[in-house]
Amino acid sequence: MSSFRERWNVCASNIARRTHNPIRSIVENIVVEPNPNKPMIALSIGDPTTFGNLKPPKEVIEAVQESVASQLYNGYAPSTGYQRAREAVAEYSSNEFVKVDPKDVILCSGCSCALDLCITALAREGQNILIPRPGFSIYRTLAEGLGITVKSYDLRPELGWEIDLDDLEAQIDESTAAIVINNPSNPCGSVFSRDHILDILDIAARYYVPIIADEIYEHMVFPGRTFHSLASLSTEVPILSCSGLTKRFLVPGWRMGWIIIHDRQNVLEIEIRKGLHCLSQRIIGSNTIIQGALPAILGQTPQNFFDDVIHTLHSHSKLAYSCIVKIPGLKPIMPDGAMYMMVYIDLPCFPEFNSDLEFVQRLLMEESVFCLPGQTGNHGTVQHARGSLSKDSRILRETSL
């Protein structure tokens, strides 16, 4: 019996070949070795647990322990999540401006999974989505793997990293399927004003483009600034809001995120809502143990825990700024939230370097300090570096000095 194949020829799929995460590639594959005489200080990945100084509260740990001990959450849940868990997210996400119905909540395996489902549901191969520059590289990774074109709109550092509205509008065309808005911002730490969000919504409404709102840092806002969710100000534009436990509760490895469908005009009612439900069946639901703990996690974590985390991150940002601003050629931009700081690198002050990547590599090689270069992925705005503010103050002081 003859074979229609004469040799092994196993090729990767188009999605696999097109998928690339530049941050992970740099972090995991960088060839430069740190200084063996200095301890490694990793400020590259946005993991607040890395150095052990930021930990979830006992109420959160106890909620998971009780979920495990109950033996009620060892099986499969509905693909969009247990009703009780979705009710907890709906209550947690509701306020005087927005009332969330549990039917509008889809639980996911982390916020990145929520973003993946939203991009996949809204955009088809050959269409495009708009993403911020500088911005979180996962948007590009997810879209390009699916054959979706990515177009970037600029953020303006001189205006606290607000969106360049003219540039945003200029990027929209007949193939634009969605706009990704990240507020508060990774990597910039910006928090948009109410008026700025209204301007963004006005553009989206005029061109009939839905918004994917990456709001994972929604509660991580420093004193003096106020977070306004896109859904709280939108009367016309449909919003798919993505968030989760990862950052605020200091548990990125627990992989619990969610999508909230905000659709006051029922624009997404049939195809997109059904599409999101179908896509959730591909992941067969999110972590059931954490789902079982969600009502207690979201309802019983004391406010003073959140206040302490914000105080810590704000103090770290002020410390890092006060140290770095004294260094000739480096210009830190004070964040208003999240857990990062962008630092402008005035390359003429460092003639031995041709790019921010070379600067970051030398910093790792000589000082064992690892930051992300601004050109990584869709950080885009070259001559910047991003550092995480989650490390303890002693380490940040050593890094800056």
Side-chain angles (χ1 to χ4, degrees), residues 23-40:
I23 290 182
R24 289 289 178 178
S25 294
I26 286 183
V27 171
E28 296 173 4
N29 301 313
I30 194 165
V31 295
V32 176
E33 293 293 329
N35 187 333
N37 298 316
K38 295 187 177 183
M40 178 70 170

Side-chain angles (χ1 to χ4, degrees), residues 258-298:
W258 50 77
I259 302 166
I260 300 178
I261 303 170
H262 301 278
D263 186 23
R264 295 181 178 176
Q265 304 299 323
N266 295 322
V267 175
L268 310 178
E269 185 57 33
I270 301 176
E271 287 203 6
I272 301 305
R273 185 181 291 271
K274 180 181 178 181
L276 287 169
H277 281 241
C278 290
L279 289 169
S280 74
Q281 294 169 1
R282 289 170 61 93
I283 64 169
I284 318 180
S286 62
N287 188 320
T288 54
I289 295 296
I290 307 304
Q291 286 190 48
L294 263 183
I297 291 174
L298 298 178

Side-chain angles (χ1 to χ4, degrees), residues 208-239:
Y208 303 99
V209 182
I211 289 176
I212 300 171
D214 181 355
E215 298 179 332
I216 188 64
Y217 297 97
E218 58 186 324
H219 297 286
M220 301 179 77
V221 177
F222 297 159
R225 297 307 299 260
T226 301
F227 169 75
H228 300 277
S229 70
L230 280 145
S232 70
L233 300 176
S234 175
T235 58
E236 182 178 351
V237 179
I239 310 289

Side-chain angles (χ1 to χ4, degrees), residues 39-87:
M40 178 70 170
I41 300 176
L43 305 180
S44 53
I45 295 295
D47 183 345
T49 71
T50 300
F51 283 85
N53 58 308
L54 295 176
K55 298 179 180 180
K58 63 180 180 63
E59 290 84 358
V60 168
I61 301 299
E62 290 170 355
V64 176
Q65 291 172 334
E66 291 174 9
S67 178
V68 173
S70 74
Q71 295 289 311
L72 297 174
Y73 305 105
N74 295 329
Y76 292 117
S79 63
T80 58
Y82 285 119
Q83 178 67 19
R84 187 160 172 261
R86 293 164 66 197
E87 288 172 354

Side-chain angles (χ1 to χ4, degrees), residues 45-361:
I45 295 295
D47 183 345
T49 71
T50 300
F51 283 85
N53 58 308
L54 295 176
K55 298 179 180 180
K58 63 180 180 63
E59 290 84 358
V60 168
I61 301 299
E62 290 170 355
V64 176
Q65 291 172 334
E66 291 174 9
S67 178
V68 173
S70 74
Q71 295 289 311
L72 297 174
Y73 305 105
N74 295 329
Y76 292 117
S79 63
T80 58
Y82 285 119
Q83 178 67 19
R84 187 160 172 261
R86 293 164 66 197
E87 288 172 354
V89 171
E91 181 178 356
Y92 171 79
S93 303
S94 296
N95 54 46
E96 59 182 308
F97 305 106
V98 177
K99 178 65 175 177
V100 178
D101 190 302
K103 70 177 178 60
D104 296 325
V105 176
I106 298 173
L107 300 184
C108 304
S109 182
C111 189
S112 58
C113 175
L115 292 165
D116 189 9
L117 266 59
C118 290
I119 291 171
T120 305
L122 285 174
R124 302 185 298 274
E125 186 168 358
Q127 291 186 305
N128 65 72
I129 64 169
L130 310 188
I131 66 175
R133 181 177 54 212
F136 187 28
S137 65
I138 196 70
Y139 312 136
R140 180 179 296 276
T141 298
L142 296 172
E144 291 185 341
L146 297 170
I148 298 163
T149 300
V150 168
K151 300 174 71 176
S152 300
Y153 59 84
D154 289 330
L155 306 183
R156 302 178 62 182
E158 74 278 10
L159 293 179
W161 299 107
E162 282 190 349
I163 294 174
D164 184 330
L165 297 172
D166 291 336
D167 188 47
L168 173 65
E169 186 169 3
Q171 302 305 321
I172 299 173
D173 60 28
E174 65 276 6
S175 297
T176 301
I179 302 170
V180 177
I181 304 292
N182 180 207
N183 175 50
S185 166
N186 170 13
C188 303
S190 54
V191 179
F192 295 156
S193 69
R194 184 179 188 276
D195 287 344
H196 190 57
I197 292 175
L198 288 173
D199 288 338
I200 296 166
L201 289 168
D202 179 65
I203 292 173
R206 282 191 280 118
Y207 290 93
Y208 303 99
V209 182
I211 289 176
I212 300 171
D214 181 355
E215 298 179 332
I216 188 64
Y217 297 97
E218 58 186 324
H219 297 286
M220 301 179 77
V221 177
F222 297 159
R225 297 307 299 260
T226 301
F227 169 75
H228 300 277
S229 70
L230 280 145
S232 70
L233 300 176
S234 175
T235 58
E236 182 178 351
V237 179
I239 310 289
L240 297 181
S241 178
C242 302
S243 191
L245 296 183
T246 296
K247 307 298 183 178
R248 192 186 192 202
F249 292 85
L250 309 178
V251 288
W254 290 8
R255 312 312 302 140
M256 176 54 64
W258 50 77
I259 302 166
I260 300 178
I261 303 170
H262 301 278
D263 186 23
R264 295 181 178 176
Q265 304 299 323
N266 295 322
V267 175
L268 310 178
E269 185 57 33
I270 301 176
E271 287 203 6
I272 301 305
R273 185 181 291 271
K274 180 181 178 181
L276 287 169
H277 281 241
C278 290
L279 289 169
S280 74
Q281 294 169 1
R282 289 170 61 93
I283 64 169
I284 318 180
S286 62
N287 188 320
T288 54
I289 295 296
I290 307 304
Q291 286 190 48
L294 263 183
I297 291 174
L298 298 178
Q300 297 178 18
T301 301
Q303 183 60 42
N304 68 304
F305 164 76
F306 301 128
D307 294 341
D308 288 346
V309 172
I310 292 298
H311 174 76
T312 297
L313 293 174
H314 189 218
S315 298
H316 287 185
S317 69
K318 291 188 290 185
L319 172 62
Y321 183 91
S322 65
C323 293
I324 297 172
V325 77
K326 299 173 185 177
I327 303 173
L330 298 183
K331 300 177 181 178
I333 301 173
M334 186 67 182
D336 290 318
M339 49 185 284
Y340 311 101
M341 176 177 288
M342 289 285 273
V343 178
Y344 175 72
I345 305 168
D346 190 359
L347 286 177
C349 294
F350 305 97
E352 66 270 37
F353 305 125
N354 294 315
S355 68
D356 51 11
L357 176 59
E358 292 183 10
F359 180 93
V360 166
Q361 288 175 327

